[in-house]
Amino acid sequence: MKLLNYTTSYFAGILLLIITVWAGLFYYNMLDEIYDSMDDGLENQKLLVMQKASQNPQVLQQSNFDEGYYKIREISFEQAKHQRDLYLDTLMYMQNEEDFEPVRLLKTVFRQDNKYYEMRVITSMVEEDDLMEDLFFSLLWLYVGLIGSILILNNYLLKRTWQPFYYLLERLQQFKLENYKPLTLKKTPIDEFQLLNQTAEKLVQSNLEAYNSQKNFIQNASHELQTPLAISLNKLELLLESNNLTEDQLNQIAGVMQHLERLTRLNKSLLLLSKIENKQFEPEEKINLNQLLKKLIEDFAGQIEYKEITVNLEAMATCEQTLNPDLATILLLNLFKNATIHNYPGGFIHIQVNENSIVIENSGKAEALDNKQLFTRFSKINSSSSSNGLGLAIVKAIADVYHFRISYSYEQKHVWSIYF
């Protein structure tokens, strides 16, 4: 939900609650005023009737409401002494409406010529159901009008006010560290948005500096390590060619060379992994993965023949994906190499290529691998000293860069699946 709609929904809910409470209070206050006004009118009518009765005794003979708005009957002193003015709501049949309608009634007692009379005076009153209906529809239209006004205000005035925020959001979504372009932000007179723009610019600049520093450090460190490693290996190779070394010395030198070669491979892998995560492989093109797999099988022909592994490439469709050629090769190379190295002599590798997926199945150790540790750095499938534990981590990094999905399962065979 967008910010403006989110705030509007809160305004609508709060406004509905406020109007509902206000409507209840207004209704009861209005009824109280109406009753006060009618009671005052009834009191005035009572006095007028009493005044009229003192001038014309015939008034005391009106015993029903057929001829007017009051009726009078004579009562005893005993009946009269306990009565007080009483205001009541009741119903009376109205000829014009042909139905019973609500009326307000005043029941009172007065004395004239030492006789006591009970008088009832009536007046028409507002029907509460009609009043409630009118009030409900009036408030409903008020509520709709207010919500409509808020929506118009949000979509025109507030939307224009929030333009610098949405522009900054759009620029941040397009921002890429590996392809940096300066942020061009809109000027705004609003202090909070000015502060937000300044903070965003500082944050972007800080991240860019950290990114460039890290990238340069990795490149420099890799380069500086490669040179002494290569020199050390060359000198050890020259030393091995000496004729005055004992067998024990030769074995020790060979062991040192193995560790140096492993360190060289590790250095290259870490540099590659860093470049992948930092998206430093820019050129992309459409790659035919079927042809790339065929080439990899040819490249591994010697090792496949040596281990007597049966390789079957089943192309159900042509799989073409847009990505960096080097990363495409590394992705499939690491998976195929993994299936070859960790296979047993006389095993098999089955590759199925579909339009949007590649599945590699291979024989190997008769137990499932640990899915939680499978793609973590320096996690080894077995204790082979030739592996640096970064092959599958590199595969996962490439998949994440291009939003591919890679999965592993064990079904009496090891199954690696890539979904593009």
Side-chain angles (χ1 to χ4, degrees), residues 51-275:
Q51 184 180 2
K52 187 176 178 181
S54 64
Q55 297 173 357
N56 183 9
Q58 294 296 325
V59 173
L60 300 174
Q61 305 302 316
Q62 185 167 322
S63 59
N64 54 59
F65 292 112
D66 293 342
E67 299 177 1
Y69 56 88
Y70 66 92
K71 70 177 182 178
I72 300 174
R73 70 183 179 92
E74 187 177 348
I75 58 174
S76 66
F77 172 75
E78 292 298 324
Q79 291 175 310
K81 68 179 182 179
H82 296 296
Q83 291 195 28
R84 298 288 184 273
D85 285 359
L86 180 64
Y87 295 93
L88 299 170
D89 292 335
T90 185
L91 296 174
M92 179 172 288
Y93 187 83
M94 299 292 181
Q95 294 291 341
N96 60 330
E97 296 287 343
E98 296 184 352
D99 196 7
F100 286 91
E101 297 293 333
V103 295
R104 186 72 168 167
L105 181 144
L106 168 60
K107 183 179 177 183
T108 187
V109 173
F110 68 96
R111 187 179 72 173
Q112 185 170 319
D113 299 331
N114 292 322
K115 292 183 180 180
Y116 293 91
Y117 298 92
E118 179 190 82
M119 179 171 60
R120 298 190 179 193
V121 186
I122 61 169
T123 184
S124 296
M125 64 179 293
V126 179
E127 297 184 38
E128 287 191 36
D129 55 347
D130 292 340
L131 179 63
M132 289 181 67
E133 183 179 351
D134 292 342
L135 180 61
F136 171 76
F137 282 108
S138 298
L139 292 175
L140 178 62
W141 285 114
L142 173 63
Y143 179 73
V144 171
L146 289 173
I147 295 299
S149 301
I150 291 174
L151 288 173
I152 293 171
L153 182 67
N154 279 351
N155 287 323
Y156 288 95
L157 179 60
L158 292 183
K159 198 170 183 180
R160 290 186 60 187
T161 305
W162 281 82
Q163 259 188 347
F165 171 77
Y166 289 115
Y167 185 78
L168 172 62
L169 198 62
E170 182 183 355
R171 298 295 298 164
L172 289 176
Q173 286 176 332
Q174 297 172 355
F175 175 75
K176 292 182 180 179
L177 276 172
E178 65 277 6
N179 187 21
Y180 174 70
K181 293 181 181 178
L183 288 176
T184 53
L185 303 178
K186 285 190 175 181
K187 291 183 178 181
T188 171
I190 301 172
D191 294 340
E192 287 80 3
F193 287 157
Q194 287 180 4
L195 181 61
L196 181 63
N197 288 345
Q198 293 169 6
T199 305
E201 286 179 336
K202 288 180 181 178
L203 182 62
V204 166
Q205 193 62 37
S206 174
N207 277 274
L208 181 65
E209 290 173 359
Y211 169 78
N212 288 329
S213 176
Q214 179 188 13
K215 184 173 70 172
N216 292 333
F217 170 78
I218 292 170
Q219 290 175 344
N220 294 336
S222 175
H223 177 73
E224 293 299 324
L225 281 172
Q226 285 296 112
T227 302
L229 285 173
I231 293 172
S232 299
L233 283 170
N234 287 334
K235 288 187 175 182
L236 288 172
E237 287 175 359
L238 290 173
L239 187 59
L240 281 176
E241 295 176 2
S242 301
N243 297 324
N244 56 348
L245 296 176
T246 64
E247 184 177 351
D248 184 55
Q249 289 173 331
L250 290 171
N251 289 334
Q252 288 183 9
I253 293 172
V256 172
M257 290 182 67
Q258 285 181 352
H259 287 297
L260 288 174
E261 286 172 353
R262 183 181 174 189
L263 187 58
T264 301
R265 291 196 301 271
L266 179 62
N267 183 52
K268 289 180 179 178
S269 296
L270 286 173
L271 178 60
L272 173 63
L273 195 56
S274 176
K275 285 184 175 181

Side-chain angles (χ1 to χ4, degrees), residues 352-385:
Q352 185 182 80
V353 182
N354 297 296
E355 185 177 357
N356 291 307
S357 67
I358 293 176
V359 180
I360 300 176
E361 302 173 345
N362 67 276
S363 54
K365 195 174 181 180
E367 62 179 61
L369 305 177
D370 185 1
N371 256 314
K372 294 181 180 178
Q373 301 293 329
L374 205 55
F375 298 104
T376 57
R377 298 182 184 186
F378 305 108
S379 175
K380 298 182 182 181
I381 294 176
N382 58 37
S383 57
S384 171
S385 60

